[in-house]
Amino acid sequence: MNESSLTTLWTPSILSGGKAGTWGLGWPIVARKKHMSYMPQGGAKAAIAVYPEDDLAIVILTNLQGSMPERFIDRVAAYYIPDFPPA
């Protein structure tokens, strides 16, 4: 996948009122001043977070429905990103 494809995937949709939405093409966008991330998840048991500014991607796969890895994946990222915002 090339950089222009990622840019397309991660560009926020524009809502009918003209504001940017919180989704790219299927990728939920977690907007922050620093450490922007893109985080698809599924079934409350799997999540991936990509932190392009930090050259980091984290994948959490579980076999327990309801484990909600999207709720703690940023805490894992904080181990690798020294100035990551507190949870």
Side-chain angles (χ1 to χ4, degrees), residues 28-81:
I29 300 168
V30 181
R32 303 180 180 102
K33 289 184 180 185
K34 291 175 67 178
H35 314 295
M36 172 92 73
S37 67
Y38 305 91
M39 192 181 308
Q41 60 247 340
K45 56 185 173 180
I48 179 173
V50 178
Y51 304 83
E53 298 169 3
D54 303 292
D55 199 29
L56 177 67
I58 297 173
V59 178
I60 297 178
L61 304 172
T62 74
N63 64 355
L64 177 62
Q65 186 171 6
S67 61
M68 309 295 281
E70 64 274 12
R71 292 187 178 171
F72 61 84
I73 200 166
D74 277 346
R75 290 185 200 153
V76 175
Y79 284 102
Y80 301 97
I81 304 171

